[in-house]
Amino acid sequence: MPELALASPASHSCQRVLTVRDYDLAATLDSGQAFRWRQEHGGWVGVIGSRWVKLVQTGPGIAALTASAPNDWHWLEHYLQTHIELDEVLATFPADEPLRQATLACRGLRLLRQDPWECLASFILSSTKQIVQIRAIVSTLSQRYGDHLEVPAGHAQMWAFPSPARLAELTEAELRDCKMGFRAPYLRETAQMVATGAVNLAQIAGLPLAAARAELLKFPGVGRKIADCVLLFAYGFPTAFPVDVWVMRGLRQLYFPRRRPARQRLERFTETYFGPHAGYAQQYLFHYMRTAESRV
DNA sequence: TCAGACCCTCACAG
DNA sequence: ACTGTGAGGGTCT
């Protein structure tokens, strides 16, 4: 894993290569888990915490460029989850045809490990929105209310995702002006609950799945689907299983072609059938369904 | 369980 | 070009 890190004297930017195989960077960053990445000639530019980062898929793995030399690279490895052995995860999937097709179609797709607050806030903004629209809202929100970040020379300006305290002090009108519509009061109240400590996001990490989910469901604008997105993409609960319209469509079509299953039955199915990495299976199914049209 | 409402934007008809 | 319509990674009442 450790590689050499080069400090570029000209701009003080810093480059590093993470060695990893079976990692499809494009599929992962563009799979709707995170909303801050955009493609920029051959690479992906985004923000992780309070750092501007550019990532490029290379032969040995993933090359990373930062604005200044960090003390270590653990934060990046953690975010990208480069230590996960994908083979071992995929091997736990049930050996059915849909999942075989899905893993074949998008092998290398990974789950990220994001910051809980940014993930929670972003998915509150996601309801009944398309991914491009969610990206636009998160971008506007960050630019207006997030901290300005250090960026290597020649790159566009960038801002961190705003803190709970910052968003909590905004008016509903200011939030609505970021094009988030009826989600504005949800985000505002959630930011206030986090800022005041009414709900402790850090503490959720140590809870059992059901209790963690119950905590997240306390936030306005957070139902089962969004709660499970945060449980899976930020906290890394391996069996969290967000069911959105795409996954629902897939589950019905692939596993219940005859009749429409009751909600409870479907829930039971997703909790038992897909195994210890059900969340990963969900991500593969989602990606597979979402890209189905372009595959004939 | 079952609608309907909710902001806003974009694709697609006509 | 211009207006109408429908639906989009849900949640709440």
Side-chain angles (χ1 to χ4, degrees):
Chain A
M1 192 77 74
E3 301 290 323
L4 83 166
L6 298 169
S8 158
S11 61
H12 301 291
S13 62
C14 185
Q15 197 164 4
R16 159 83 161 208
V17 176
L18 303 182
T19 305
V20 61
R21 59 190 166 79
D22 270 341
Y23 205 117
D24 186 335
L25 194 61
T28 301
L29 299 181
D30 201 30
S31 65
Q33 302 175 59
F35 303 102
R36 302 225 55 192
W37 297 96
R38 62 183 172 75
Q39 209 154 10
E40 187 182 290
H41 34 262
W44 295 84
V45 170
V47 176
I48 300 176
S50 56
R51 284 197 182 89
W52 178 99
V53 188
K54 178 171 182 179
L55 300 173
V56 181
Q57 182 104 49
T58 66
I62 298 168
L65 180 72
T66 54
S68 59
N71 291 329
D72 64 80
W73 294 87
H74 177 256
W75 54 277
L76 181 59
E77 293 162 354
H78 184 253
Y79 180 88
L80 292 173
Q81 294 281 289
T82 46
H83 61 285
I84 297 292
E85 288 294 335
L86 191 58
D87 287 334
E88 294 174 12
V89 171
L90 300 187
T92 66
F93 289 1
D96 65 24
E97 191 55 21
L99 275 176
R100 201 185 68 79
Q101 291 286 339
T103 51
L104 210 60
C106 36
R107 187 186 181 77
L109 174 63
R110 304 282 192 136
L111 287 177
L112 300 168
R113 185 68 59 86
Q114 302 175 59
D115 171 69
W117 163 243
E118 177 171 345
C119 188
L120 171 64
S122 298
F123 276 96
I124 284 176
L125 299 175
S126 78
S127 69
T128 335
K129 281 280 182 199
Q130 302 181 80
I131 291 174
V132 283
Q133 300 175 37
I134 304 166
R135 279 204 197 101
I137 299 171
V138 170
S139 171
T140 303
L141 203 54
S142 300
Q143 177 162 353
R144 290 189 184 174
Y145 303 112
D147 291 335
H148 190 260
L149 299 179
E150 188 186 358
V151 167
H155 285 281
Q157 310 245 75
M158 194 68 94
W159 293 263
F161 190 83
S163 68
R166 185 73 182 102
L167 292 189
E169 67 190 11
L170 299 178
T171 64
E172 185 181 321
E174 287 172 316
L175 290 172
R176 278 184 186 259
D177 196 48
C178 296
K179 314 294 184 192
M180 66 182 74
F182 63 80
R183 302 155 197 82
Y186 295 155
L187 182 61
R188 189 170 125 84
E189 282 178 49
T190 295
Q192 287 170 347
M193 288 168 71
V194 174
T196 61
V199 176
N200 184 336
L201 290 185
Q203 189 198 319
I204 290 177
L207 264 32
L209 176 62
R213 181 181 285 133
E215 281 301 294
L216 292 172
L217 288 173
K218 289 179 179 174
F219 293 115
V222 176
R224 174 62 183 252
K225 188 269 175 182
I226 289 176
D228 275 43
C229 283
V230 179
L231 291 170
L232 185 62
F233 302 142
Y235 290 106
F237 283 91
T239 57
F241 199 100
V243 178
D244 57 38
V245 292
W246 290 99
V247 172
M248 178 63 84
R249 205 174 293 160
L251 288 174
R252 282 187 184 154
Q253 193 174 308
L254 302 172
Y255 299 103
F256 301 89
R258 309 288 169 144
R259 68 193 185 295
R260 219 183 109 173
R263 189 189 59 78
Q264 195 165 18
R265 188 188 160 146
L266 199 70
E267 195 174 305
R268 179 87 184 127
F269 178 75
T270 59
E271 282 171 359
T272 55
Y273 180 73
F274 293 102
H277 293 286
Y280 246 102
Q282 177 274 157
Q283 196 64 12
Y284 272 82
L285 272 183
F286 171 65
H287 195 78
Y288 184 63
M289 292 304 293
R290 202 164 71 92
T291 56
E293 295 122 30
S294 57
R295 260 198 322 279
V296 181

